[in-house]
Amino acid sequence: EIVLTQSPTTMAASPGEKVTITCRASSSVSYMHWFQQKSGTSPKPWIYDTSKLASGVPDRFSGSGSGTSYSLTISSMEAEDAATYYCLQRSSYPPTFGSGTKLEIK
Amino acid sequence: QVQLKESGPGLVQPSQTLSLTCTVSGFSLTSNSVHWVRQPPGKGLEWVGAIWSGGSTDYNSALKSRLSISRDTSKSQVFLKMNSLQTEDTAIYFCTGGGRFAYWGQGTLVTVSS
């Protein structure tokens, strides 16, 4: 089973600040997917196939990476971006999620 | 419009069997896979298992001995059965479908307690 390690676990960013969340895989994966989850709601697809934004996701978000290292970046933090973000790999079964990064607004 | 909705008992006693239903609309179970994902309160997401468009299944190895996923395509429903429930199985259970986990239900909280 591929283990995904996200960092940081928790962070706070000021409006306008650039944010980067990292997801490292214990073995190489072909793609990484990202989900946004706000309290009391189900996860929302956010970035798929490493770098493609899901429908409705603002273009201040981007995804990148390859092999064992992937990242989600917000170019300019906004209050509505406060949430928990999870990475997911489906290249190898079973699918596995990262432990999540809780992003707060300062 | 694709919708998934989970249903089932909110409370299950330890050692008993959990039965959940995911009712799908807007897409065909014979063309799409459906996965179950769970989330213990305040914790992260865990893949539980899946039923594929052809009807075959895959399970989380840690749960495999207690888990069964099936479906009724005529009713657009997917079923999860997990036996020998323990307090550690307390979680919100989500069903998700479509490519890349594109669509999610709202989740159903299952509490294992006497």
Side-chain angles (χ1 to χ4, degrees), chain A residues 37 42 45 48-49 86 90 93, chain B residues 39 47 52 94 100 102 105:
Chain A
Q37 187 180 34
S42 53
Y48 64 96
D49 293 351
Y86 293 93
R90 294 186 61 190
Y93 264 75
Chain B
Q39 184 171 39
W47 181 78
W52 301 97
F94 297 99
R100 311 181 197 98

Side-chain angles (χ1 to χ4, degrees), chain B residues 2-108:
Chain B
V2 175
Q3 291 187 323
L4 296 88
K5 186 172 184 179
E6 306 87 349
S7 59
L11 180 66
V12 180
Q13 294 196 339
S15 79
Q16 296 302 300
T17 297
L18 171 65
S19 295
L20 297 177
T21 300
C22 175
T23 302
V24 172
S25 60
F27 75 80
S28 168
L29 293 180
T30 56
S31 302
N32 294 276
S33 59
V34 171
H35 298 247
W36 288 93
V37 173
R38 70 180 184 178
Q39 184 171 39
K43 297 189 176 180
L45 302 167
E46 178 184 32
W47 181 78
V48 172
I51 187 162
W52 301 97
S53 57
S56 61
T57 53
D58 277 311
Y59 301 124
N60 182 317
S61 59
L63 304 172
K64 190 172 184 177
S65 63
R66 303 191 288 133
L67 185 61
S68 174
I69 297 175
S70 60
R71 70 184 184 182
D72 183 335
T73 56
S74 67
K75 295 182 178 180
S76 293
Q77 292 181 323
V78 174
F79 309 105
L80 177 150
K81 288 193 189 303
M82 186 183 301
N83 59 33
S84 304
L85 248 61
Q86 305 162 32
T87 54
E88 307 88 84
D89 297 311
T90 293
I92 300 171
Y93 286 74
F94 297 99
C95 57
T96 172
R100 311 181 197 98
F101 294 13
Y103 308 103
W104 292 67
Q106 84 277 13
T108 186

Side-chain angles (χ1 to χ4, degrees), chain A residues 8-81:
Chain A
T9 302
T10 306
M11 69 176 297
S14 301
E17 185 177 347
K18 182 178 180 179
V19 172
T20 298
I21 297 169
T22 297
C23 181
R24 289 198 163 81
S26 58
S27 297
S28 181
V29 298
S30 302
Y31 296 101
M32 193 63 70
H33 313 286
W34 296 88
F35 294 81
Q36 182 196 69
Q37 187 180 34
K38 295 191 175 182
S39 182
T41 67
S42 53
K44 291 182 180 176
W46 212 246
I47 297 174
Y48 64 96
D49 293 351
T50 301
S51 59
K52 300 174 183 175
L53 301 185
S55 176
V57 174
D59 61 7
R60 61 181 177 274
F61 283 85
S62 63
S64 64
S66 65
T68 61
S69 184
Y70 293 82
S71 62
L72 176 156
T73 299
I74 307 172
S75 61
S76 179
M77 176 75 180
E78 295 196 10
E80 67 178 15
D81 302 335

